[in-house]
Amino acid sequence: VLKDISLEVSRGETISVIGPSGSGKSTLLRCLIHLEKASSGTIYIEDEPISLRQHDKQVHIHESQIKERCRKLGMVFQNFNLFPHMPVLKNITLAPILVRNKSSNQAEQIAMDLLAKVGIDDKAHAYPSQLSGGQQQRVAIARSLCMAPKVMLFDEPTSALDPEMIGEVLDVMKKLARSLINDQTLEPTQVAGFNQFFDDADAAEAWVYGGAVDQKISSSVYGGLEYMYRDMTIPVYTQP
């Protein structure tokens, strides 16, 4: 799906990846977090490889090393993937307790702080079925952040929402992108998002069916984005 892709994201940078359905946007993110295994090429997270190619051969990396390195990444999916039999607070604290060895009190304090950040701390004891789609997606964002990732990946997080709920989730994403770099409780976080997040991105990459596409930044992804097809990958363009 992905061919001749080259991309580098700096600490604290917000990148929006745009392109039509089938162009490989989700596959790119899934490769980064190792939900899909890259068949070739090199992927580094903070100078540590999760996929490595040297001297025209793929180098084997032990699965335990890959898992440890991928813990630096958090991901929010198109669907919320919340446990329906658990209240919001339990959904968020489960992984930090089991994977990060946080105490229940520590995990709950972090979770409540994050729920406040995404504007639904009053829903901590509600079940997913009692929440709107936008609220469930905000829970999913808080759940990912509770693992203290250094990189946040958003895979079209508004695509499963009703139109009236899209704005509330986008607002949360934009506020997080602006504030997390200065947050005292979280490490600096990079955010990768898609189409609707374009206007607030530091830069954008455009992809068309597995290849990169040169682009000129416009004020809106829907209002005049200009593509110029190329066979090679493109640099990151920074908005003025």
Side-chain angles (χ1 to χ4, degrees), residues 12 69 88 96 103 135 150 185 191 198 207:
R69 291 163 188 174
V88 165
S103 69
Q135 290 171 331
K150 294 187 176 182
T185 62
V191 182
F198 177 81
W207 310 82

Side-chain angles (χ1 to χ4, degrees), residues 12-229:
E13 191 173 17
T14 302
I15 294 293
S16 181
V17 182
I18 59 177
S21 178
S23 60
K25 305 185 301 296
S26 295
T27 301
L28 171 68
L29 296 193
R30 291 175 67 86
C31 285
L32 292 178
I33 206 165
H34 206 60
L35 292 175
E36 300 279 356
K37 293 184 179 181
S39 57
S40 65
T42 300
I43 301 173
Y44 282 96
I45 302 173
E46 289 195 323
D47 299 324
E48 294 182 319
I50 61 170
S51 177
L52 182 61
R53 186 174 180 85
Q54 290 180 336
H55 308 299
D56 295 324
K57 293 183 179 180
Q58 284 299 121
V59 178
H60 174 72
I61 303 173
H62 199 278
E63 194 69 22
S64 62
Q65 291 179 299
I66 293 175
K67 287 181 179 179
E68 185 61 35
R69 291 163 188 174
C70 285
R71 287 180 183 177
K72 298 177 181 179
L73 282 70
M75 189 164 179
V76 178
F77 299 88
Q78 296 179 26
N79 296 313
F80 324 123
N81 298 321
L82 302 178
F83 293 114
H85 63 291
M86 294 182 182
V88 165
L89 195 60
K90 185 69 172 177
N91 262 283
I92 296 174
T93 59
L94 183 64
I97 292 172
L98 294 180
V99 179
R100 296 289 192 189
N101 297 316
K102 298 283 188 183
S103 69
S104 295
N105 288 339
Q106 285 178 314
E108 287 181 7
Q109 181 60 56
I110 295 171
M112 290 304 300
D113 289 344
L114 290 169
L115 285 172
K117 283 184 180 294
V118 299
I120 51 170
D121 49 322
D122 59 327
K123 302 294 185 181
H125 302 292
Y127 284 83
S129 61
Q130 298 172 308
L131 305 178
S132 69
Q135 290 171 331
Q136 289 186 63
Q137 194 60 293
R138 283 189 273 172
V139 172
I141 293 172
R143 178 184 57 188
S144 240
L145 290 172
C146 204
M147 293 295 286
K150 294 187 176 182
V151 181
M152 275 294 292
L153 309 173
F154 291 93
D155 185 2
E156 299 194 54
T158 62
S159 63
L161 301 179
D162 293 332
E164 64 270 17
M165 296 178 182
I166 290 175
E168 65 182 67
V169 174
L170 288 178
D171 286 343
V172 168
M173 290 172 60
K174 291 174 182 179
K175 289 175 183 176
L176 287 172
R178 296 184 193 119
S179 67
L180 287 183
I181 195 68
N182 296 316
D183 198 302
Q184 298 302 307
T185 62
L186 295 171
E187 297 184 47
T189 303
Q190 301 151 14
V191 182
F194 288 152
N195 295 0
Q196 301 100 324
F197 200 48
F198 177 81
D199 286 342
D200 265 46
D202 297 318
E205 290 277 348
W207 310 82
V208 173
Y209 300 107
V213 178
D214 198 359
Q215 69 172 84
K216 297 178 181 179
I217 296 295
S218 64
S219 60
S220 170
V221 71
Y222 302 114
L225 182 65
E226 301 175 28
Y227 294 109
M228 182 175 67
Y229 292 87

